[in-house]
Amino acid sequence: MSSKADLIVGLQWGDEGKGKIVDHMAQTHDYVCRFAGGHNAGHTIVIGDKKYALHLIPSGVLNASAKNIVGNGVVLSPVDFIKEMEQFDNLEGRLFLSDKAHVLLPYHAQIDQARERMKGDKAIGTTGKGIGPAYGDKIARIGHRLGELLNPEKLTAKIVAYFAMNKPVFDAMGVEAPDEAALLAELQGYKEALGSFICDTTQMMWEIMDEDKKILLEGAQGTMLDIDHGTYPYVTSSTTVSAGACSGLGINPKDIGKVTGIAKAYCTRVGNGPFPSEDFGEEGDTLRKNGHEFGTTTGRPRRCGWFDAVAMRHAVRVNGVDQVALMKLDVLDGFDEVKVCVAYEVDGKEINYVPYDLEDAMPIYQSFPGWEKTEGVRVFDDLPDTAKSYIEALEEMIGTKMGIISTSPEREDTIIR
Ligand code: GDP
Ligand code: IMO
Ligand code: MG
């Protein structure tokens, strides 16, 4: 018998709280597998008085018994990965990196930042980590895969040739070609640190499924940042939605089991691009302050606003969500009323779907009575009635059960229904 893999995916613009739920679920899974993105992701996990920020290592790493796979759909910066590994002992035997994942090197970050500068006020507001250029190279078929790190001499020669070929472009962007000897030494260091973790994770996925292991697939970013289904061009460069789990790990749609979509009880976005339910006033500031809405990866203040039920319906459908985990309900504690964007107005017309360009969509809100306190509540029936009504109204609007509700960053402050 072959097991099916449970999937965690972000439903908004990232930072929904995926890390907390992956960590929570990792307690009952044998493997946690990351399928997309790079170190643009920042997944925060709080256990007791310790706080961990994970970027590339799957959030299963905090459970000693869970093994962790980084799939081929990821772009991996060796230098950042090695730094992240230093927080943990004994990764040997419980961390596996796909030989087909693409390598993100420091020049990708330089190109990313140069392109952003050139865009001026049209900048995407990327994390500046080199994600777009690394995926760009992959799609243009001029990228390098992790398997190539096992032969640093050959990879050095390829990168030197790549720079020679693109010299005029790099000169115009102010990106310097790496020094050959320094590059070789750098790549040799990566081989030493990472070589023993690099393997064929596709075969591994198939084997562990055949062994009936319990597998959890960890998404990064969120649906509205998806390269195809998000607010293009203000998106990241990967397939962040459920479908990305298949291509990013080498499994097929029939291998996917339960899909849990992660959403905040309100909405945030980092970087530029449309965000119809953004609140520019005092209430937005309160959400930012109460929710500690500052990026894990870049420290940037996150833009804050109200739950967007229209974008959520889009996300639920694109991802095939079976249940939603509603996060950070406690951040809405103390508001007299909470708003939900229930439709958009575009060119004077009311619509209830995500249009081609979200830039011109104006939010139409419905208000709900607020509540005093949900922080730390672990049982649904202990929630204030108005909070319960809010959750039930959201479920009705998006047609999906909210099977998990989170009321603090703590692992155990989680309602399971
Ligand atoms: P991810 O990228 O989706 O994993 O989310 P981030 O880690 O970037 O951002 C979510 C933040 O919210 C983290 O700092 C979490 O510790 C925190 N968090 C998660 N769940 C809750 C919750 O229910 N309540 C509160 N107040 N904070 C939470
Ligand atoms: P997690 O996994 C929130 C955003 C950036 C920018 C856009 C493109 O923690 O939810 P990129 O560097 O990817 O080219 O930037 O995407 N972004 C995220 N926003 N959470 C993330 O990851 C993000 N990863 C990228 O802010 O707007
Ligand atoms: Mg994050």
Side-chain angles (χ1 to χ4, degrees), residues 15-20 42-44 46 296 302 327-331 406-409:
D15 299 327
E16 297 92 346
K18 297 176 290 293
K20 168 170 168 169
H43 299 173
T44 315
V46 180
T296 312
R302 295 174 180 151
M327 311 300 292
K328 303 187 89 159
L329 182 64
D330 55 294
V331 174
S406 171
T407 57
S408 102

Side-chain angles (χ1 to χ4, degrees), residues 13-16 18 40-43 112 124-128 131-132 220-221 225 235-236 270-272 300:
W13 279 277
D15 299 327
E16 297 92 346
K18 297 176 290 293
N40 49 349
H43 299 173
D112 189 1
I124 295 166
T126 71
T127 57
I131 305 300
Q221 287 80 50
L225 290 171
V235 292
T236 190
V270 213
N272 302 326
R300 291 180 288 178

Side-chain angles (χ1 to χ4, degrees), residues 152-343:
E153 288 79 11
K154 199 167 162 191
L155 182 53
T156 302
K158 279 193 190 172
I159 292 172
V160 168
Y162 166 83
F163 267 88
M165 190 169 73
N166 291 286
K167 190 169 183 317
V169 180
F170 289 138
D171 284 351
M173 285 198 285
V175 175
E176 261 178 57
D179 171 76
E180 187 168 346
L183 179 64
L184 178 59
E186 181 185 340
L187 297 181
Q188 275 165 338
Y190 296 160
K191 177 183 173 183
E192 227 160 84
L194 299 179
S196 62
F197 297 99
I198 298 173
C199 60
D200 181 343
T201 56
T202 309
Q203 285 292 335
M204 197 174 166
M205 289 300 298
W206 298 345
E207 277 162 23
I208 59 178
M209 289 188 151
D210 288 347
E211 288 164 10
D212 206 19
K213 297 286 187 210
K214 291 205 75 183
I215 300 166
L216 186 62
L217 313 179
E218 175 180 11
Q221 287 80 50
T223 302
M224 300 308 283
L225 290 171
D226 180 85
I227 186 73
D228 288 284
H229 303 288
T231 50
Y232 191 89
Y234 298 98
V235 292
T236 190
S237 297
S238 59
T239 298
T240 63
V241 300
S242 304
C246 291
S247 59
L249 285 161
I251 58 177
N252 71 61
K254 297 184 200 93
D255 290 327
I256 306 285
K258 188 169 187 175
V259 179
T260 301
I262 315 295
K264 278 177 193 169
Y266 53 100
C267 236
T268 63
R269 167 162 210 170
V270 213
N272 302 326
F275 176 6
S277 62
E278 182 167 11
D279 188 305
F280 297 95
E282 228 172 79
E283 290 178 320
D285 288 342
T286 306
L287 289 171
R288 188 173 310 105
K289 191 165 127 282
N290 293 357
H292 305 289
E293 295 295 357
F294 296 87
T296 312
T297 299
T298 57
R300 291 180 288 178
R302 295 174 180 151
R303 299 158 60 192
C304 295
W306 302 103
F307 190 91
D308 183 336
V310 187
M312 191 58 52
R313 275 198 300 272
H314 167 89
V316 163
R317 184 68 177 84
V318 167
N319 291 292
V321 171
D322 294 304
Q323 66 163 353
V324 168
L326 189 72
M327 311 300 292
K328 303 187 89 159
L329 182 64
D330 55 294
V331 174
L332 295 178
D333 290 0
F335 277 92
D336 291 337
E337 59 172 31
V338 288
K339 289 195 276 186
V340 175
C341 170
V342 294

Side-chain angles (χ1 to χ4, degrees), residues 355-378:
Y356 169 77
D357 190 351
L358 209 48
E359 195 72 64
D360 305 320
M362 300 295 294
I364 297 173
Y365 288 118
Q366 188 178 332
S367 292
F368 294 85
W371 52 84
E372 275 296 302
K373 189 164 181 244
T374 63
E375 190 190 353
V377 172
R378 297 180 180 184

